[in-house]
Amino acid sequence: MHHNNLFTTMRSLKLIEGCKGTQVYALNSSAPPPPPPPPSSGSAGGVGEKLLQHLQDHLRVNSIRSKSSRTYPPPNQTNAVVSPDSLLPYGLPVTDLLEPQIDPSLKFVDLIDKLAEAYRRIENCQQFEKSDAYLEQCAIFRGLPDPKLFRRSLRSSRQHAVTVHTKVVLASWLRYERREDELIGTSSMDCCGRNLECPKATLVSGYDPESVYNPCVCSSAVRSEINDDEECSTSDEEDYDMSFCIGDEEVRCSRYKFASLSRPFKAMLYGGFRETKRSTINFTHNGISVVGMRAAEIFTRIRKVDIFPPNIVLELLSLANRFCCDELKSACDSRLAFLVNSLDDALLLIEYGLEESAYLLVAACLQVFLRELPSSMHNPNVVKIFCSGEGRERLASVGHASFTLYLFLSQIAMEDDMESNTTVMVLECLVECAVESWQKQLACHQLGVVMLERKEYKDAQRWFDSAVEAGHVYSLVGVARAKFKRGHRYSAYKIMNSMISDCSATGWMHQERSLYCSGKEKLLDMDIATDLDPTLTFPYKFRAVSLVEESQFGAAVTELNRVMGFKVSPDCLEMRAWISIAMEDYEGALKDIRALLTLEPNFLMFNKKIHGDHMVELLRPLVQQWNQADCWMQLYDRWSSVDDIGSLAVVHHMLANDPGKSLLRFRQSLLLLRLNCQKAAMRSLRLARNHSKAEHERLVYEGWILYDTGHREEALAKAEESISKQRSFEAYFLKAYALADSTLDPESSKYVIQLLEEALRCPSDGLRKGQALNNLGSVYVDCDRLDLAADCYTNALNIKHTRAHQGLARVYHLRNQRKSAYDEMTKLIEKAQNNASAFEKRSEYCDREMAQNDLSMATQLDPLRTYPYRYRAAVLMDDHKEKEAIEELSKALAFKPDLQLLHLRAAFFDSMREPADAIRDCEAALSLDPNHSDTIDLYHKAREPQS
């Protein structure tokens, strides 16, 4: 009988009572909506009143629903003129209600020291401790903006894992990071050939870091077929010298072979017991059936359980536990673990596994739960196993409750619903499992953040205090905030004031202190916070709202534009849309709302009271209407002017008319990557893949997903498979792009050129052909074929690929036509809305003073660009101003830990004969990139004894 049928039979025994919970999330506004304004005699007021009433009905009746099921009746489009008040029933934001989010990740006063410390721990620990060391590095990287760092450390942690439990958790976590569950047609037990994620490889214990290079167990393992009749009949009747009697039936067996199963059986059959001299032993009351005992007899001969159905293997497992038959238990454990393939299987078998302490079986069940995340955490039976006190104790009793497990679950729970009881229970388990100081810091800090969100301020303060006690200084921010919420404003101020006095001041310290002071002191702290860390968005938002309160709407938008020029976030887009509505700039508001919905499709606006989609429906009639052809023209214009937010808004508009268009989803992902919104970009890529109507298209998008998650070779394989099915622009482009990612020798460059030329022969639109021409020009430049490169860039400019100005400038520069290169970059600066990189590049084509001006402008527009800091520092070192050069680099490193900045500062320290500082910076840099050869060489040099 097939094992699924047997599982169905076993379920009828009702060993586990299943239940389904329904959660209703309703809008919970702190105050009822304001009454509508009195009707106006004009038609505009009438429409405004209808819009306002429509909005209030939505708030009163609708719960938060999935986008796919959301429908809104369109507002009256006749005389669609409204006042801003009707679109802003909750008014404008006010400074008194603004406050920054507390980061739930680990955060450090000196991140560089912490990165160096993490690197040293990895390098110096025992091999069996490396997995935990990499996990700590994961926790540090989680608070940094580049998700690739976190994923790389997570892979390393899995690579060095020793126990089955750790392998199961980390392999599932790697899969979750790719959000493979969102890809239609994939199974939770798929591994796509990656051995680190293979669900079979995880069930093999032992330290094997080289396994990352091995082929996947799933693809290479060929299961041997067993001939049941042959195996069962291979016996020698002369060996049978005794029987076990169960009820009225006897099971003949060999005393010697049965005694070999365990010491208890050996004692029973050869010791001083009565059974020793009997030829028939009554085994009726030992919890095993006749069929089960016959299976045990067969096992004594063939040492295998694969031939038995699952219910018999479960009987053998129970027998093995009762009589300490280690080999039999191991065989049963492995066999049952192999059979767990679905959530239903796992929910049924985990009870047996926990009851019988079957380590591999429980691991296999946990693996299914974890690979079904996040949906499995909505199953009450799964939550009970993971989160209840009894469940955690039972998992711990079989070696399956760990900090790693609950760290993974806490990430899922906090992303799903920060304030839920499930999140609290998971974090409480995380605290229970925390042993090392960094684990206690993280667990207590996260629990403090969640309690603060739940408005349980006393508990929040207690957990933040525990995190501080464990050594996490940043948690003092949580202590201060909790005290402030409890009415102790001055106490909160003193905490932050002391921190600023005692530590090297950071942007987040001044930002937090600003909440607890007023007037000029508050604004001064905000300005200092921005100066120390320009990536903090809260000070910009606060200054913008302060200007709104003074009715300086234009200045408020300008303030927000400062940060949005280099860091796009939903909260800043929302605030700019809020202000634009007040200014009656409905087109600008709609653009920002469409862009923020691209970043977060379920975003709730205006203090989480109105869904962004609904605001789109209200604003849409108030702006110029476009058909799909108009949208394509608008997209070309915005793309060519390097207006990424405007381009996102147009694509969002087009997708509203054609949601299944995979090509548009792909364009969306490219824009999001340009804006450094990697999480949203990957979601768009997955949607592009899911909506692909042709297999060759789907393969291309799968290839990009693989490439963007660090699987270059697999991405190339997908591109080649797509080309084999149908030649297409995107398949050739992907293959060329992935190949060009490494240092190209002349032969490889020639092949990339051929691929790009093939791509250009295939049908595509001007946006993508412009990109291909630009890339082709870049390869020609590297091959010193400048005339061909210039032709490519010129052709790209003819189809409005504005960024080709930069490539053409490079050609002029290589021809020693510096003035022409400068002029070409000036054209890009004039055309591009986002032009910080153009200022940076133009600085290479002018004298030092003009270069300094361009680089100052680049830093002003985008402080995250590191080249200007490195250039200025190098100039200062040339002028023998070592201290100023170090300060220039340190200023940037305070908010952006960057490999090149760290390497340069280490080189400066080495030249100044300060080896300790040089070594620290090298270690921090190698934490970011362990294979950076220049830093490795400098590290070895700095560690040599000084002469």
Side-chain angles (χ1 to χ4, degrees), residues 29 43 68 180 254 283 451 534 580 587 725 772 778 832 891 929:
S29 56
S43 61
S68 61
E180 191 106 345
S254 162
F283 220 67
M451 290 301 179
S580 295
E587 192 168 307
K725 295 185 180 299
S778 180
K891 180 180 180 181
D929 182 358

Side-chain angles (χ1 to χ4, degrees), residues 28 55 200 229 243 307 348 351 514 546 610 661 839 908:
N28 182 20
L55 189 59
K200 303 304 179 190
D229 294 335
S243 300
I307 62 173
L348 179 67
E351 288 298 317
S514 72
S546 297
I610 304 173
K661 192 81 170 176
F839 276 106
F908 286 176

Side-chain angles (χ1 to χ4, degrees), residues 662 689 691-701 726:
S662 59
R689 181 264 187 201
H691 285 110
S692 298
K693 294 181 173 60
E695 188 178 0
H696 74 275
E697 268 186 22
R698 177 179 58 77
L699 289 165
V700 168
Y701 299 140
Q726 182 171 323

Side-chain angles (χ1 to χ4, degrees), residues 366-420:
L366 286 184
Q367 181 160 249
V368 171
F369 298 155
L370 297 176
R371 292 171 80 95
E372 292 280 355
L373 288 169
S375 61
S376 59
M377 280 300 279
H378 294 284
N379 184 309
N381 290 324
V382 174
V383 173
K384 182 179 178 182
I385 290 165
F386 281 135
C387 302
S388 68
E390 179 192 0
R392 193 185 72 80
E393 286 177 8
R394 294 178 77 195
L395 288 175
S397 69
V398 289
H400 284 294
S402 68
F403 183 85
T404 306
L405 170 65
Y406 287 104
L407 184 60
F408 178 27
L409 293 176
S410 70
Q411 178 188 323
I412 307 288
M414 292 175 76
E415 287 177 359
D416 185 54
D417 185 355
M418 181 81 84
E419 300 176 36
S420 72

